[in-house]
Amino acid sequence: MDTERSFTLLILCSPSGAGKTTLAHAVQKLEPKLDFSVSHTTRAPRSGEVDGRDYYFNSKTDMLARIERGEFAEWAWVHGNLYGTSHQEIRRCRAQGASGVIFDIDVQGARQLRALYPSEALSVFVLPPSAAILRARLEGRGSEDEASLKRRLGVAAAELGHYQSFDYVLVNDQVDEAAATLHALVVAGRHQQSRMRMRAEALLDELRTLQQDD
Ligand code: ADP
Ligand code: 5GP
């Protein structure tokens, strides 16, 4: 199948702590040719995070200048910081022959990417099994101080309200099970009629030529 046509932009959204990063890594194990989009952010690195691998960590001045120059396919203010995906990052994944690219972004970014890539985007909203588990996962990650934890839980309800604009909704209970379902959605997405049209039309042309030759 033509790689250009079968390229998937897998957009994962959820309230912070529901498990997007975990699921992204798990689905990459199932399909290593799915690349991961590294975002730019003005947020400070967490311990263990590496510049260029987890995020491109930028100053606010630098990030605003990049926005001004039109470098981002999408960008948004999230939890008081700027986050964005560069056009260059998406080009990089295509150029490297990836089967698709995974985005761990917020609902504002998802809306922008869907508008930019209506036929290639596949958007999945990830739900935690319960509110208590969401809180426990955020606490367990140990990445937030009390104020940040409260802020993230505070916006969770508003974020959840956007699930209707997504193609699919996935409950992340057992990681392996959720990752397998997510991968099945990616595979199914490649067979959507709109994405198979060129292939079907090419076959029709071949058949017509065959009939003319007979
Ligand atoms: P997000 O990227 O959505 O903010 P993470 O992937 O960082 O969320 O997950 C938040 C925390 O929950 C992490 O400590 C992660 O290990 C844990 N976690 C994620 N998914 C599961 C799951 N299915 N079961 C148990 N713990 C999980
Ligand atoms: P965190 O600070 O926990 O890594 O991410 C906080 C939120 O920012 C998450 O909802 C995450 O999905 C979102 N985010 C990360 N990168 C981007 C991005 O490039 N664009 C947008 N719009 N949101 C992002």
Side-chain angles (χ1 to χ4, degrees):
M1 201 188 297
D2 183 325
T3 48
E4 184 70 25
R5 273 182 287 134
S6 65
F7 194 76
T8 302
L9 276 76
L10 175 60
I11 303 170
L12 298 181
C13 275
S14 77
S16 182
K20 295 177 298 289
T21 314
T22 307
L23 281 175
H25 290 146
V27 85
Q28 273 183 313
K29 288 215 178 88
L30 298 174
E31 186 173 322
K33 281 189 84 179
L34 269 177
D35 214 328
F36 185 78
S37 167
V38 180
S39 297
H40 292 250
T41 184
T42 58
R43 150 166 99 56
R46 293 180 186 136
S47 91
E49 282 186 330
V50 176
D51 186 47
R53 185 193 68 188
D54 301 290
Y55 278 106
Y56 299 108
F57 294 102
N58 296 152
S59 69
K60 194 170 150 192
T61 314
D62 183 23
M63 191 95 179
L64 288 170
R66 286 171 187 274
I67 291 170
E68 192 66 26
R69 291 197 294 269
E71 287 185 19
F72 290 108
E74 65 76 29
W75 66 272
W77 284 97
V78 188
H79 309 308
N81 285 298
L82 278 167
Y83 291 82
T85 307
S86 70
H87 290 290
Q88 175 56 31
E89 184 67 6
I90 300 174
R91 276 197 295 269
R92 178 188 68 77
C93 298
R94 286 191 199 273
Q96 286 178 355
S99 57
V101 54
I102 308 171
F103 300 87
D104 171 345
I105 59 177
D106 88 314
V107 292
Q108 307 168 78
R111 190 170 52 235
Q112 295 169 55
L113 277 191
R114 271 198 306 266
L116 204 55
Y117 299 102
S119 58
E120 291 176 309
L122 185 126
S123 60
V124 180
F125 198 89
V126 179
L127 298 180
S130 71
I133 290 177
L134 178 65
R135 188 189 171 96
R137 283 185 185 167
L138 266 178
E139 282 172 344
R141 193 168 67 184
S143 53
E144 317 304 318
D145 58 26
E146 191 54 31
S148 174
L149 184 77
K150 281 217 169 90
R151 188 165 59 241
R152 282 169 190 256
L153 286 172
V155 296
E159 287 169 329
L160 268 171
H162 290 273
Y163 76 90
Q164 291 105 327
S165 5
F166 285 73
D167 297 321
Y168 297 99
V169 177
L170 177 68
V171 179
N172 174 22
D173 190 351
Q174 301 301 317
V175 181
D176 290 350
E177 209 176 297
T181 304
L182 187 57
H183 189 231
L185 296 178
V186 171
V187 174
R190 294 190 180 121
H191 296 272
Q192 278 175 349
Q193 177 261 110
S194 58
R195 297 179 71 181
M196 294 300 283
R197 202 171 293 154
M198 282 171 75
R199 176 98 181 199
E201 292 298 328
L203 189 60
L204 264 175
D205 282 347
E206 281 177 27
L207 273 173
R208 285 189 195 112
T209 311
L210 207 68
Q211 280 166 344
Q212 278 163 10
D213 290 349
D214 283 345

